[in-house]
Amino acid sequence: MEPEVVITMFERLNVEGRADAGLDLACAGFAGWLAGAWDKLDEDEIALLTSVGAVLWREGFK
């Protein structure tokens, strides 16, 4: 799957009102998922995904 397709999915969910989880809930859910997947991920995936988590965390405090 191409990244543009995934971005389109994100956009569609937002337009349809299905992206209504608050940042706190999104960050907590992502952290839970990441913790469960941690041992299956390589270093590059962990670096990318923890960066995504840090952005969620930062935006939640704005």
Side-chain angles (χ1 to χ4, degrees):
M1 181 177 299
E2 297 296 319
E4 296 80 14
V5 173
V6 176
I7 289 172
T8 299
M9 289 175 166
F10 294 162
E11 292 171 344
R12 185 175 308 133
L13 288 170
N14 186 52
V15 168
E16 293 173 356
R18 296 191 291 156
D20 59 351
L23 280 172
D24 289 347
L25 183 59
C27 191
F30 182 70
W33 173 84
L34 184 55
W38 194 272
D39 293 334
K40 299 174 192 126
L41 302 171
D42 66 32
E43 288 182 22
D44 290 339
E45 292 167 328
I46 289 171
L48 173 64
L49 293 169
T50 54
S51 292
V52 170
V55 170
L56 287 171
W57 184 262
R58 181 192 70 217
E59 293 302 311
F61 278 101
K62 281 190 174 179

